[in-house]
Amino acid sequence: MRATFLGTAAGDTSRTREHSGLLLEAPDASLLLDCGGNVARHFHAGEYPADVPTAIWLSHMHSDHVGQFSMLIQSLWLRQRRAPLHVFGPAEVLRVMEDWLVRCILFPGLIGFPIEWRPVQPGVPVTQGPFTLTAFATDHLVNLAQQFQKAHPTTCFECYGAAIDVAERRYVYSADLAHPRELAPALTGRPVTGLFCELAHYPEDELFRELAPYDIESIYITHYPDAFAGQEKRLKHAAQEQGFKGAVHLLQDKVAEEI
Ligand SMILES: [Zn+2]
């Protein structure tokens, strides 16, 4: 499988990197994990066919994860996509996005391809082509929910990471976390070929200490602040210190890895 890191910046605006977006390409299908960066321009410039991606995973409502979703849909419309697009995520996120597309003048009867809205629930696997996706809930927005949910009951405070099983291998997308222990449901019970993990909400030592007991071949660090840029060597050292035995990669935008 090929993983292309379209955006590796965290929520702070980076000087050089786009917000969240990771494209996974299996032989007959592709899955975009979040859409916070300028994904449409990347696809167009890279001469990807308009039926890429086959599916999109939207983890939560922060703009660095969903802010470019409608722009991508507009681009796919104008590039004359016809293949259905499967969109996965928390039910309320999908409801908001469906409504947002109508408000952005991207009506189902206009865009020329169907969007299949497929709400997911933690622990319940769903299949899309070669991908089996199992959501796990993170606590990323729990503190904000405690403060603001009462006053803003229509806002969605769910955040879902994903275990992604494809061709007998497991990959894990962290989405945003409050603490790395929230990855446990996706890391337990089978080896993980690649963990795509954020590093914006906890210290690196805590991440590697938490991951040390699991069987993880490689961690691909994405969604990190500019302060970590160029610090791959230091992160590898921190991983070693904490007993994490997998390979450590700190990603730049547009880097593609075969994994
Ligand atoms: Zn977030």
Side-chain angles (χ1 to χ4, degrees), residues 19-113:
H19 293 299
S20 296
L22 169 55
L23 182 69
L24 301 182
E25 291 172 279
D28 297 317
S30 53
L31 171 66
L32 176 67
L33 299 167
D34 279 328
C35 194
N38 197 340
V39 173
R41 188 154 62 96
H42 178 85
F43 287 157
H44 187 47
E47 297 183 357
Y48 285 76
D51 58 3
V52 174
T54 317
I56 303 180
W57 180 275
L58 298 176
S59 64
H60 67 294
M61 282 303 301
H62 269 150
S63 295
D64 56 314
H65 293 260
V66 298
Q68 290 287 323
F69 175 73
S70 54
M71 189 59 246
L72 175 59
I73 301 302
Q74 179 168 319
S75 176
L76 296 176
W77 160 45
L78 295 173
R79 291 169 58 215
Q80 301 183 344
R81 180 187 177 112
R82 293 293 174 263
L85 176 66
H86 302 263
V87 184
F88 297 87
E92 189 60 15
V93 170
L94 302 194
R95 199 195 63 74
V96 171
M97 287 297 133
E98 188 174 7
D99 182 56
W100 176 240
L101 291 185
V102 170
R103 289 165 193 273
C104 290
I105 321 172
L106 293 165
F107 308 115
L110 172 71
I111 60 177
F113 59 95

Side-chain angles (χ1 to χ4, degrees), residues 60-238:
H60 67 294
M61 282 303 301
H62 269 150
S63 295
D64 56 314
H65 293 260
V66 298
Q68 290 287 323
F69 175 73
S70 54
M71 189 59 246
L72 175 59
I73 301 302
Q74 179 168 319
S75 176
L76 296 176
W77 160 45
L78 295 173
R79 291 169 58 215
Q80 301 183 344
R81 180 187 177 112
R82 293 293 174 263
L85 176 66
H86 302 263
V87 184
F88 297 87
E92 189 60 15
V93 170
L94 302 194
R95 199 195 63 74
V96 171
M97 287 297 133
E98 188 174 7
D99 182 56
W100 176 240
L101 291 185
V102 170
R103 289 165 193 273
C104 290
I105 321 172
L106 293 165
F107 308 115
L110 172 71
I111 60 177
F113 59 95
I115 298 180
E116 308 286 345
W117 301 97
R118 300 182 57 182
V120 292
Q121 289 186 354
V124 182
V126 289
T127 300
Q128 172 55 48
F131 300 105
T132 298
L133 309 168
T134 309
F136 60 93
T138 85
D139 291 341
H140 174 51
L141 298 172
V142 165
N143 281 345
L144 286 171
Q146 282 164 1
Q147 287 179 66
F148 294 103
Q149 196 160 29
K150 218 170 181 176
H152 303 281
T154 61
T155 296
C156 178
F157 291 91
E158 299 293 328
C159 178
Y160 291 172
I164 302 154
D165 296 322
V166 52
E168 309 286 309
R169 292 184 174 185
R170 167 157 292 192
Y171 305 88
V172 176
Y173 176 54
S174 70
D176 281 2
L177 305 166
H179 189 278
R181 74 173 73 89
E182 295 148 28
L183 293 164
L187 301 180
T188 304
R190 56 179 295 179
V192 172
T193 301
L195 166 61
F196 312 114
C197 196
E198 66 114 324
L199 187 51
H201 299 100
Y202 36 78
E204 63 273 23
D205 286 355
E206 211 153 314
L207 172 65
F208 294 124
R209 195 181 318 135
E210 191 70 32
L211 298 182
Y214 296 103
D215 183 355
I216 301 168
E217 197 173 313
S218 297
I219 180 170
Y220 298 86
I221 295 173
T222 180
H223 197 278
Y224 60 89
D226 279 349
F228 281 117
Q231 300 285 311
E232 189 177 70
K233 211 171 152 186
R234 186 166 69 78
L235 291 172
K236 283 178 194 280
H237 183 70

